[in-house]
Amino acid sequence: MPERALPAQEPRHRHAFAPLPPLREGSAGAGGDAGRHARQEDEDRLWQPDPLLRAGPLSPGHRRAHGAEGGQRGRRAGRGPGSLHRGVLAADRRRPGVAMDDENRLIAQRKQKIQAIRDAGLNPYANDFPVSLEDMRRVGELDPETLSGEADLPEGAREFRVGGRVMALARFGKAAFALVRQQGHEVQLFLKRDLLGEGFKAFKKIERGDFVAAVGPAFVTRQGKVAVRAREFRILTMAVRSLPEKWHGLKDPELRYRQRHVDLVATDGVAEVFRTRARVVAHLRRYLDERGFVEVETPMMHQVVGGAAARPFLTHHNALDLDLKLRIAPELYLKRLVVGGLERVYEIGRCFRNEGLSRMHNPEFTMLEFYMGYATYTDLMALTEDLISGLVTDLQGEPRLTYQGQQVDLSTPWPRLTVVEATKAGLSLAAQEQGFAAPTDDDLRSGESLGAYVARQRLTEREEALAQLWKACAGWGERLAALFETFGEERLPADRPVFVVDYPSAVSPLSRRKDDNPELVDRFELFVVGREIANAFSELNDPEDQRRRFRAQLEARDRGAEETMDYDEDYCRALEVGMPPTAGEGIGVDRLTMLLCDQPSIRDVILFPLLRPEGAQQPGKQEARR
RNA sequence: GGGCCCAUAGCUCAGCCUGGUAGAGCACCGGACUUUUAAUCCGUUGGCCGAAGGUUCAAAUCCUUCUGGGCUCACCA
């Protein structure tokens, strides 16, 4: 079935995306320092594709480290220091772009060191000493078991040009070890005074956090580790501000999010999360590209909000004197493209919803939406299984993951439950926990019977969340959806992904009704560990029914529903041009990344999550007026 | 927005209940040490205890307000 529905396209298609040929030597050096580039061997070209850079599975140990870290943060919640007004790390956030008054002893000492380097005739911000990432990797791949010891190194042994940020320093009087890191690769340098001579004086000024480079052969230390014995040593860049403590790293969540650059350097595993996120996005893109989907970019500034139920951000275009809203979803534009003949189309991009923040919600978030002509929501379930289990296998080496201690088996096919089944199961579990009567099939049959059941069991008194929803609910579909959200979602099986199918048409204004039951639509949502990861349906392409659904949204708004869709007549007109039978799906990229990186908060997978501005105007310490 | 909790050295944290001169580890600075793995040893330096107000002879500590943050509930993916 998947094979029929989702054929990978012919090679012809892939050729259209073949990588550009490498730049030629002359072009890159034009107008610049030709000697700088001439020094490197061809294989070391900075811009060349790297045959060694393969996307392998994450090591299990690495993932465990993430989990432990997340747990520790959880336990420490609320205990971290919050003041941000005096620290080395905090100070320049208070006055970005303004002369600092946060000189402290550490910074003054660093500046003195930088001056001392200048006084010695050296450049503390040098860029004339190339280092080879290729060499970094090669040193990293050397096996201490087979590498000959120091005494065995022949004269003229292979030398490596390595360098990066100093992450650890162990100094002795006349020798030292420095662990340097570049692009995730770490190499240990061994520096001896009698080998370096004058260069050792420069080394004396180095601290953790500075960038250095060295050239020399590799050897095995007495501790059995590979290191590069520096024959030549250079300072590349000196840092003015010191890094957080190496052992504890940066714990204060606010500092971590506000100064992600420091977090990335200092907190173990953070850089890896964002490298993995990039691989997730690349995988999604590659998967869709290979199957003939066209990537597009549709407007983010909308005049009519649609495609989801959410409140938008408002903005304004001056020249047109036009009020605009940041998009809450690209859906209606993408389907216009299906009408236009881009029958496999997708967009990966930011959406904006003007709502509260939580561990699961950031006001701007990244969504993949794709539409597939001549397909149904059933086809998309198969595609989703294939896509996500393949992604997990690519990253983990097997279709299995652990999220916050919960093991999830992603081997396909995944179980499917109807909304009615999931609601009944959830209510039955809740009934056992809380001592009320489980619903019968008759209770779930109509809006009236649901209302009677909820009243009889006093469910709105038990669940404040339901009470909120219930007020704006009318009819079977809305009431069932409210009960599913309150009682069903969080009680779904957690050890497997679950497709919840057959949503009520009343809560699915853009979905196609089921042929055998117009109260239901051809729609599913994918839940993993009780979290909604994807939402998909066969698209409604009957323009008259679409108009009725939009009108129903307006009626719901009048009843007090806060988040409803605008009536989009232009979209209905597009449907009148004719949209082929189509299925579409949205996948929350941030939430998917949370699962794959075992991160507890959406803020841990967004580089710069929205934070309140630092508006603390302190009386007596007012900033200069401008 | 509601509830609970938090803010002390560059970083990670004690001290607060029970008010009486501000502490530790790491980092930094000085010294010793030519194979370290959170190196070790010796000696220094470093704080408007988030801000403002109050109680008190005396406040990091008790009270109030403010600012920022975390968790959680509600809406949404």
Side-chain angles (χ1 to χ4, degrees):
Chain A
M1 197 63 177
E3 283 75 16
R4 183 189 61 76
L6 323 164
Q9 285 230 334
E10 293 73 21
R12 175 174 55 83
H13 168 73
R14 280 197 287 274
H15 288 164
F17 297 92
L20 296 173
L23 294 174
R24 292 171 54 204
E25 185 174 339
S27 57
D33 175 10
R36 166 180 178 173
H37 295 289
R39 262 174 295 177
Q40 295 198 42
E41 300 166 13
D42 272 352
E43 62 181 356
D44 283 356
R45 290 292 176 207
L46 294 174
W47 54 80
Q48 283 231 330
D50 176 10
L52 294 178
L53 186 57
R54 277 186 294 268
L58 298 177
S59 77
H62 177 74
R63 285 183 48 78
R64 271 197 296 279
H66 280 179
E69 192 181 297
Q72 194 170 17
R73 272 201 299 280
R75 283 196 301 279
R76 292 178 163 278
R79 290 179 58 216
S83 170
L84 299 168
H85 295 282
R86 287 184 298 135
V88 162
L89 294 175
D92 60 352
R93 288 178 300 98
R94 189 176 50 179
R95 299 183 174 189
V98 179
M100 312 296 167
D101 64 347
D102 65 339
E103 284 290 327
N104 65 25
R105 199 181 84 262
L106 295 177
I107 289 178
Q109 281 172 352
R110 292 275 209 169
K111 288 185 173 173
Q112 282 168 15
K113 281 190 180 186
I114 292 171
Q115 189 55 46
I117 289 298
R118 287 204 158 104
D119 292 346
L122 300 171
N123 185 352
Y125 301 102
N127 72 345
D128 58 352
F129 191 93
V131 295
S132 162
L133 187 60
E134 177 68 19
D135 280 3
M136 296 285 290
R137 289 200 189 96
R138 286 196 179 153
V139 172
E141 287 172 359
L142 290 175
D143 180 2
E145 297 290 317
T146 58
L147 187 65
S148 19
E150 181 171 5
D152 302 328
L153 279 176
E155 201 65 28
R158 171 75 161 97
E159 293 201 333
F160 299 93
R161 297 182 77 87
V162 295
R165 193 191 286 271
V166 176
M167 299 308 296
L169 262 185
R171 279 189 226 252
F172 309 88
K174 300 178 184 64
F177 285 92
L179 185 66
V180 300
R181 185 160 81 193
Q182 181 191 160
Q183 294 178 52
H185 297 269
E186 291 189 339
V187 166
Q188 184 170 234
L189 307 179
F190 178 57
L191 304 122
K192 280 172 85 166
R193 190 166 81 169
D194 51 15
L195 270 175
L196 285 176
E198 286 298 302
F200 200 74
K201 287 183 182 165
F203 173 76
K204 285 258 186 190
K205 298 292 182 189
I206 287 300
E207 291 175 26
R208 197 167 151 271
D210 293 333
F211 291 83
V212 302
V215 179
F219 72 107
V220 178
T221 69
R222 282 179 200 163
Q223 303 293 320
K225 301 287 189 204
V226 174
V228 168
R229 188 200 331 280
R231 182 174 55 72
E232 204 180 334
F233 172 84
R234 284 288 295 275
I235 293 171
L236 296 183
T237 297
M238 296 183 74
V240 176
R241 291 170 190 268
S242 51
L243 292 177
E245 195 202 351
K246 63 184 155 189
W247 188 241
H248 294 97
L250 198 56
K251 284 248 172 64
D252 179 353
E254 186 184 5
L255 272 182
R256 292 189 49 224
Y257 301 141
R258 285 199 198 271
Q259 293 196 59
R260 189 64 95 174
H261 47 283
V262 177
D263 187 40
L264 283 163
V265 174
T267 311
D268 228 25
V270 172
E272 194 55 34
V273 166
F274 290 101
R275 288 181 202 279
T276 302
R277 181 179 174 127
R279 284 172 61 184
V280 169
V281 172
H283 185 103
L284 297 173
R285 191 167 268 134
R286 187 173 62 247
Y287 185 95
L288 293 167
D289 287 344
E290 285 173 353
R291 285 156 183 82
F293 287 80
V294 177
E295 180 171 11
V296 297
E297 290 162 285
T298 62
M300 292 201 185
M301 296 191 290
H302 290 186
Q303 294 175 57
V304 177
V305 297
R311 283 181 296 184
F313 287 91
L314 305 177
T315 187
H316 185 79
H317 186 270
N318 288 338
L320 294 179
D321 189 22
L322 184 63
D323 286 327
L324 292 165
K325 298 154 184 167
L326 298 187
R327 73 174 174 196
I328 59 174
E331 172 153 357
L332 300 184
Y333 280 100
L334 291 173
K335 283 191 282 194
R336 284 175 172 94
L337 298 178
V338 175
V339 169
L342 297 179
E343 288 148 353
R344 289 189 182 188
V345 70
Y346 75 97
E347 179 162 8
I348 296 174
R350 218 68 62 81
C351 295
F352 308 86
R353 298 190 183 175
N354 206 338
E355 281 148 4
L357 295 81
S358 78
R359 284 202 301 175
M360 296 296 286
H361 300 91
N362 194 60
E364 53 179 307
F365 63 101
T366 301
M367 187 150 69
L368 162 66
E369 275 202 18
F370 60 94
Y371 291 83
M372 187 168 171
Y374 313 100
T376 68
Y377 81 123
T378 311
D379 297 324
L380 290 192
M381 278 192 269
L383 182 150
T384 303
E385 286 174 342
D386 187 50
L387 169 62
I388 293 183
S389 65
L391 171 59
V392 171
T393 303
D394 180 42
L395 293 174
Q396 318 281 355
E398 55 176 0
R400 186 178 302 278
L401 60 80
T402 301
Y403 184 71
Q404 304 293 292
Q406 173 68 51
Q407 303 254 346
V408 185
D409 173 9
L410 292 104
S411 53
T412 58
W414 298 340
R416 300 173 188 191
L417 282 174
T418 66
V419 173
V420 171
E421 288 168 345
T423 305
K424 189 178 177 187
L427 273 170
S428 300
L429 284 171
Q432 279 180 15
E433 294 160 14
Q434 300 177 23
F436 61 88
T440 65
D441 288 342
D442 279 339
D443 289 332
L444 296 171
R445 190 149 292 156
S446 70
E448 292 71 33
S449 64
L450 282 172
Y453 171 73
V454 166
R456 198 161 63 238
Q457 306 304 332
R458 296 199 171 87
L459 293 188
T460 55
E461 292 164 38
R462 294 176 194 277
E463 290 286 343
E464 190 190 346
L466 181 66
Q468 296 276 347
L469 287 172
W470 204 249
K471 284 183 289 188
C473 279
W476 176 77
E478 291 183 14
R479 287 181 169 178
L480 181 71
L483 285 169
F484 170 65
E485 284 171 27
T486 312
F487 293 96
E489 279 191 15
E490 66 186 34
R491 293 179 178 82
L492 287 168
D495 59 335
R496 303 228 50 200
V498 180
F499 288 120
V500 176
V501 301
D502 293 353
Y503 278 70
S505 48
V507 296
S508 313
L510 302 169
S511 307
R512 184 180 187 280
R513 293 184 199 272
K514 295 188 89 66
D515 287 333
D516 57 0
N517 183 353
E519 289 297 303
L520 298 177
V521 292
D522 287 339
R523 173 181 173 188
F524 70 82
E525 290 195 0
L526 171 65
F527 289 85
V528 184
V529 199
R531 288 148 199 263
E532 186 183 344
I533 298 298
N535 177 22
F537 39 84
S538 298
E539 303 295 337
L540 173 59
N541 61 351
D542 173 347
E544 278 316 305
D545 192 12
Q546 184 65 74
R547 287 196 172 92
R548 285 196 294 275
R549 306 281 196 92
F550 278 142
R551 278 195 292 271
Q553 287 288 297
L554 298 183
E555 288 159 17
R557 183 180 299 176
D558 291 341
R559 282 201 310 275
E562 284 190 358
E563 284 152 352
T564 56
M565 289 185 201
D566 287 346
Y567 190 114
D568 192 338
E569 175 55 28
D570 183 75
Y571 172 69
C572 295
R573 192 173 59 185
L575 289 183
E576 287 177 336
V577 175
M579 182 170 78
T582 298
E585 176 162 344
I587 295 179
V589 173
D590 313 275
R591 289 183 179 178
L592 186 59
T593 307
M594 286 169 68
L595 270 179
L596 295 167
C597 296
D598 197 14
Q599 294 299 303
S601 170
I602 199 167
R603 290 180 163 185
D604 295 319
V605 300
I606 291 176
L607 280 166
F608 299 99
L610 183 69
L611 301 175
R612 212 178 287 245
E614 278 179 285
Q617 286 283 318
Q618 294 176 50
K621 290 176 87 175
Q622 296 271 328
E623 294 180 25
R625 302 242 188 284
R626 272 167 289 174

